[in-house]
Amino acid sequence: MLTTPAPAPDHLAEKRSTVRALLRLWPYVRPVRARLGSAAVIAVLASCVGLVIPLVLKWMVDGPVADRDPSGVWLGALYLLLLGVAEALLFGLRRWLVARPLSAVEAGMRAALYRHLQRLPVAFHDRWASGQLLSRGTTDLMLLRMFLAFPLTFLLVNGVTILVGVGIMLVQDWTLGLVILGPAVPVMITCGIFEKKYSAVARRAQDQVGDLTTVVEESVLGVRIIKGFGRHRSQARAFHELSHTLRGTELRKARLLASIWAVIVTLPEVAIGAALVVGVVQVADGALSAGTLVAFLSTALALRWPVESIGFLLAMSQEAATATDRYFEVMDAEVESDAVAPPGAERPVHRPVHTGSGRLGGLRFESVRFRYPDAPPDSPPLLDRVDLHIRPGESMALVGATGSGKTTLTTLVPRLHEVTDGRITLDGEDITALSREELRAMVAVAFEEPTLFSASVGENVLMGAGDGAGDEELGRALAVAQADFAHALPQGTGTQVGEQGLSLSGGQRQRLALARAVVGRPRFLVLDDPLSALDVHTEAAVEAALRQVLADTTALIVAHRPSTVLLADRVALLSGGRIAAVGTHHELLRTSAEYAHLMSGLDGREDHEGLREGDGR
Ligand SMILES: Nc1ncnc2c1ncn2[C@@H]1O[C@H](COP(=O)(O)OP(=O)(O)OP(=O)(O)O)[C@@H](O)[C@H]1O
Ligand SMILES: [Mg+2]
């Protein structure tokens, strides 16, 4: 089961500050600060309006009620109604003010995350479980929006309300005020302890949501395998276990919340009770007016909610802080630098670059060494001093045992992974000296797994071309890749392919991926076993069409079958992390035992293919 191997940053070790974490949101909140600020002011106002109500009550009890003046009581009731309506309207206005800008903040942050994910190197995605990324883009951002909408404002509003309310109470009667203030210190201490404990549990819960998302995502994408192997029970069990763990964590959160509520609710309640007793005694002694006691107690009751809500406001702030941490863990990951490396800065350039020199043209690998960043440090590099020259316009087949690093070698050309040492040049130019955009416009790729997107067939193919490409290029590419079936689909090339192209056959997907690779008429073509899913006749037809395309394209083609190898001018054998032999198919068959072994006994088509090559050129 995938968990997040992503190194959890030192958020556990370092004493982490909630406020500092949340302050990182400022750049995203900045654009809406005016609205958020005015909403907060309005909320404070609304809250203070609520605090005027007890004062009106006092006036009513000591005035019209004591004087038995019904018209005065009616007037007081009217005041109360107006105050209530004003409070409600102000709170409504606040909500209206923040709703739209905050969804804009959420959308903005989500867009930034997505943009960033697109620019992160493949090595990052190798390391991170997709569910963790998904949950950061969904649950965590939702938590942040909720934080900005409620806790952020209401921690302020409640703070001000409590201060004003306590002030009013002290002015009414300072002895009673002090009785009410009694629990303040223990409540604050409890909040401090709570915050620390809650922060750790909140983080755990959010990470577990990420793991759960990964399981769901994998089982949806892998539903065919799961069903095919009858693994739905074990998959369900894995899900159940994870969700059980998550439930435990959530329960722990609930228990923490419950304990802080117990303190926050009970202590003030006791204090109010004590104040009531003291107040009644004072009224009986004539030291206090009944109206003052009413005002005092209703103020105290009005403060109950602001005090009680502090518990879950703090909880939500903690969750928002951990969500912010999780969000920025991704945002802080280093993207592929798009800056052109200054010569010699990133890695030593071994030889001066002779641009345009015929001898150095084409695609060259020079002493290329590569090790996956997450490979154990003491393991030998996967590719060790690979030297290979593919001449301009030449197509070179790359052959090697499974797991020998062929796919890896192809990913180095468009810089999906960075070479550990050595360099790769395109027509004499070091690929690190090109911007990624230039590089990827020059090199087109098709990988073993033909990935299609939820879009139309045409859009999927035209992804491989510049912006100006249209139906003409599309038709040509489909013809080259023998993907003319696309025209016969229900809506032609406008037909939507399902998620990951699952509504198409494997060979159909492969041909569309191939069409995507050739549609932009790239100068360099890197194909990772592009024809593996095709039958012999279709493969032969694709080969014939590709030969025309490849005539002016420099191509590196990973091949497993002799029939694919024969497409190429020469063959390179990758073995033991280096190029062990280069030559034509027949030369290598004679000179390299390993090559002969690799090519023999595959499907016995060798002779037939050999014949075809003989008369094919
Ligand atoms: N992202 C990765 N991180 C670490 N190791 C990897 C990664 N991808 C592949 N490897 C390892 O690198 C080795 C070479 O893999 P690669 O996919 O390049 O082989 P291949 O020659 O294309 O094999 P095949 O013929 O089966 O396609 C394998 O041992 C594999 O385990
Ligand atoms: Mg491979």
Side-chain angles (χ1 to χ4, degrees):
M1 198 94 332
L2 269 177
T3 50
T4 170
D10 30 12
H11 71 269
L12 290 178
E14 170 203 346
K15 191 188 166 305
R16 161 185 161 294
S17 145
T18 310
V19 178
R20 198 170 335 127
L22 290 171
L23 274 179
R24 295 201 66 186
L25 295 175
W26 178 242
Y28 297 98
V29 177
R30 229 180 101 85
V32 302
R33 64 190 186 281
R35 279 222 177 190
L36 218 54
S38 32
V41 171
I42 287 172
V44 169
L45 241 143
S47 239
C48 292
V49 166
L51 285 181
V52 178
I53 292 176
L55 298 181
V56 175
L57 279 176
K58 170 184 173 168
W59 171 79
M60 280 171 72
V61 172
D62 283 348
V65 172
D67 301 346
R68 300 186 183 281
D69 166 17
S71 65
V73 173
W74 280 113
L75 187 65
L78 183 66
Y79 285 152
L80 288 181
L81 182 69
L82 287 179
L83 283 172
V85 170
E87 190 184 355
L89 281 180
L90 284 172
F91 271 123
L93 178 63
R94 182 204 81 89
R95 223 170 227 274
W96 177 79
L97 269 178
V98 296
R100 191 186 293 259
L102 286 185
S103 17
V105 170
E106 187 187 2
M109 290 183 75
R110 188 169 288 136
L113 182 72
Y114 186 75
R115 236 188 346 262
H116 193 74
L117 282 178
Q118 300 292 311
R119 296 186 54 213
L120 282 168
V122 173
F124 172 90
H125 290 281
D126 283 351
R127 213 166 59 231
W128 279 69
S130 52
Q132 285 294 347
L133 300 176
L134 263 178
S135 68
R136 277 156 223 246
T138 51
T139 328
D140 287 338
L141 285 183
M142 194 192 70
L143 282 172
L144 287 183
R145 175 171 49 82
M146 274 163 48
F147 165 73
L148 294 175
F150 296 104
L152 180 62
T153 317
F154 278 97
L155 280 174
L156 173 76
V157 171
N158 291 358
V160 173
T161 310
I162 291 169
L163 282 182
V164 172
V166 167
I168 290 178
M169 289 194 292
L170 283 173
V171 169
Q172 303 289 334
D173 187 291
W174 63 271
T175 36
L176 287 187
L178 288 183
V179 172
I180 289 279
L181 273 184
V185 173
V187 164
M188 277 195 243
I189 293 176
T190 315
C191 286
I193 298 174
F194 166 78
E195 224 185 321
K196 212 168 290 153
K197 287 194 176 167
Y198 196 80
S199 142
V201 190
R203 169 76 205 204
R204 207 176 321 138
Q206 277 152 303
D207 285 344
Q208 285 167 356
V209 169
D211 294 343
L212 204 62
T213 317
T214 306
V215 174
V216 173
E217 202 221 339
E218 279 183 343
S219 55
V220 170
L221 288 181
V223 66
R224 286 163 186 76
I225 309 290
I226 291 169
K227 284 193 180 299
F229 285 90
R231 296 315 294 239
H232 47 274
R233 267 203 204 87
S234 63
Q235 197 69 14
R237 207 177 313 121
F239 180 85
H240 177 79
E241 268 163 29
L242 271 182
S243 67
H244 188 77
T245 321
L246 177 60
R247 176 170 161 268
T249 317
E250 288 293 342
L251 278 179
R252 172 138 177 70
K253 270 165 72 179
R255 266 199 296 277
L256 277 173
L257 252 181
S259 54
I260 191 177
W261 267 56
V263 175
I264 280 186
V265 173
T266 315
L267 288 185
E269 247 10 55
V270 169
I272 290 175
L276 182 63
V277 173
V278 176
V280 168
V281 170
Q282 280 188 358
V283 171
D285 290 350
L288 195 69
S289 77
T292 310
L293 183 61
V294 168
F296 186 90
L297 287 175
S298 37
T299 309
L301 290 179
L303 289 190
R304 255 172 51 177
W305 171 243
V307 171
E308 283 170 12
S309 63
I310 279 182
F312 81 75
L313 291 181
L314 283 181
M316 282 173 81
S317 310
Q318 277 309 333
E319 279 169 6
T322 45
T324 312
D325 285 344
R326 279 166 50 86
Y327 178 79
F328 280 104
E329 275 165 32
V330 178
M331 292 300 280
D332 290 344
E334 196 106 11
V335 297
E336 298 173 318
S337 67
D338 219 13
V340 172
E346 270 188 0
R347 66 186 71 84
V349 175
H350 303 292
R351 261 152 281 163
V353 177
H354 302 292
T355 359
S357 150
R359 206 174 57 81
L360 288 173
L363 168 58
R364 283 185 88 98
F365 294 83
E366 297 177 13
S367 309
V368 167
R369 186 189 291 245
F370 179 77
R371 173 208 299 279
Y372 277 104
D374 51 350
D378 50 339
S379 63
L382 179 60
L383 299 175
D384 199 6
R385 299 191 64 80
V386 168
D387 281 295
L388 184 62
H389 180 199
I390 306 160
R391 300 177 196 124
E394 184 184 35
S395 56
M396 172 83 76
L398 185 66
V399 174
T402 173
S404 57
K406 301 181 295 296
T407 299
T408 308
L409 191 66
T410 58
T411 61
L412 296 179
V413 181
R415 282 181 78 189
L416 299 181
H417 287 110
E418 302 284 351
V419 298
T420 313
D421 198 13
R423 64 174 194 156
I424 299 172
T425 60
L426 297 176
D427 283 344
E429 252 190 297
D430 194 322
I431 55 169
T432 56
L434 297 163
S435 75
R436 290 191 194 258
E437 211 170 323
E438 287 173 302
L439 173 64
R440 289 172 192 171
M442 278 166 86
V443 181
V445 290
F447 292 112
E448 280 167 309
E449 271 302 314
T451 306
L452 299 179
F453 295 89
S454 310
S456 73
V457 169
E459 285 162 341
N460 265 295
V461 172
L462 285 174
M463 273 181 80
D467 290 334
D471 283 345
E472 196 184 318
E473 284 85 353
L474 176 61
R476 192 182 53 88
L478 289 175
V480 168
Q482 297 298 304
D484 293 304
F485 70 88
H487 300 295
L489 291 171
Q491 279 104 44
T493 53
T495 308
Q496 295 287 317
V497 291
E499 196 178 352
Q500 302 212 326
L502 288 176
S503 53
L504 298 172
S505 82
Q508 285 173 331
R509 275 184 283 147
Q510 235 179 20
R511 278 175 284 163
L512 288 182
L514 186 62
R516 176 167 58 202
V518 299
V519 70
R521 289 177 177 273
R523 273 161 61 197
F524 296 90
L525 193 58
V526 175
L527 302 176
D528 192 356
D529 209 9
L531 309 174
S532 61
L534 305 190
D535 62 78
V536 187
H537 304 291
T538 315
E539 187 183 8
V542 175
E543 274 171 38
L546 264 184
R547 271 182 197 288
Q548 293 174 350
V549 180
L550 297 188
D552 49 344
T553 298
T554 308
L556 178 64
I557 305 164
V558 174
H560 281 109
R561 304 195 287 190
S563 52
T564 321
V565 171
L566 287 168
L567 176 66
D569 300 315
R570 286 192 300 161
V571 192
L573 173 65
L574 183 64
S575 170
R578 46 195 312 165
I579 300 295
V582 183
T584 65
H585 174 62
H586 293 285
E587 278 168 16
L588 290 196
L589 275 184
R590 273 198 312 277
T591 55
S592 164
E594 184 179 354
Y595 184 77
H597 176 70
L598 273 176
M599 286 292 125
S600 67
L602 282 180
D603 47 14
R605 295 204 329 256
E606 207 178 301
D607 290 345
H608 159 76
E609 297 296 339
L611 270 178
R612 223 159 42 74
E613 189 208 30
D615 54 33
R617 347 186 86 203

